[in-house]
Amino acid sequence: QVQLVESGGGLVQTGDSLRLSCEASGLYFSSYTMAWFRRAPGKEREFVAAFSGGNTWYEDSVKGRFTIDRDNGKKTMWMQMNSLKPEDTAVYYCAADLNGSPYNAQWAYSYWGQGTQVTVSS
């Protein structure tokens, strides 16, 4: 079965960096739209970034600070997060779908990881 496993979260200070990983198994990785979402305390889960249609897409608040990449041979996606802010504190989830359209809608994704906690202290 499809499995997505996130890692790399942690407790950091404002301005620090983290690199999250999402390792996939049980799917033909290169064919899948892959995305990152996050859920901040007391808020709904929201879109962060995605690979879709040969392009990368970012939520406005992370543009210029977060970068996603993927290695289809390793079935892994990463998200480099720089200049972290307290408002980036959230559980970050990896998501996958053969279609994944629209890329920024959580309902468009069939598979989810368990999440990894990112906490940014001020």
Side-chain angles (χ1 to χ4, degrees):
Q1 76 264 19
V2 175
Q3 190 171 14
L4 303 175
V5 179
E6 303 97 333
S7 61
L11 172 62
V12 297
Q13 295 184 331
T14 299
D16 285 351
S17 298
L18 278 175
R19 185 170 174 83
L20 304 184
S21 299
C22 171
E23 295 185 31
S25 60
L27 54 75
Y28 192 65
F29 187 78
S30 61
S31 297
Y32 278 68
T33 296
M34 299 295 297
W36 290 98
F37 287 77
R38 65 185 179 187
R39 178 182 282 131
K43 295 187 177 182
E44 297 292 318
R45 189 159 56 184
E46 66 174 2
F47 170 76
V48 178
F51 287 96
S52 178
N55 296 310
T56 54
W57 305 92
Y58 297 92
E59 192 268 329
D60 286 347
S61 70
V62 307
K63 284 180 181 177
R65 299 189 299 123
F66 292 10
T67 304
I68 56 174
D69 57 4
R70 64 190 289 174
D71 184 322
N72 291 332
K74 295 181 178 179
K75 294 187 176 182
T76 302
M77 175 176 67
W78 298 271
M79 182 161 67
Q80 178 67 39
M81 305 187 297
N82 297 329
S83 302
L84 283 162
K85 305 175 181 180
E87 51 264 44
D88 294 318
T89 294
V91 178
Y92 284 74
Y93 298 90
C94 172
D97 194 89
L98 264 178
N99 186 352
S101 179
Y103 61 83
N104 58 347
Q106 56 180 312
W107 53 260
Y109 293 86
S110 300
Y111 304 104
W112 293 85
Q114 82 289 349
T116 185
Q117 176 71 49
V118 172
T119 303
V120 185
S121 64
S122 57

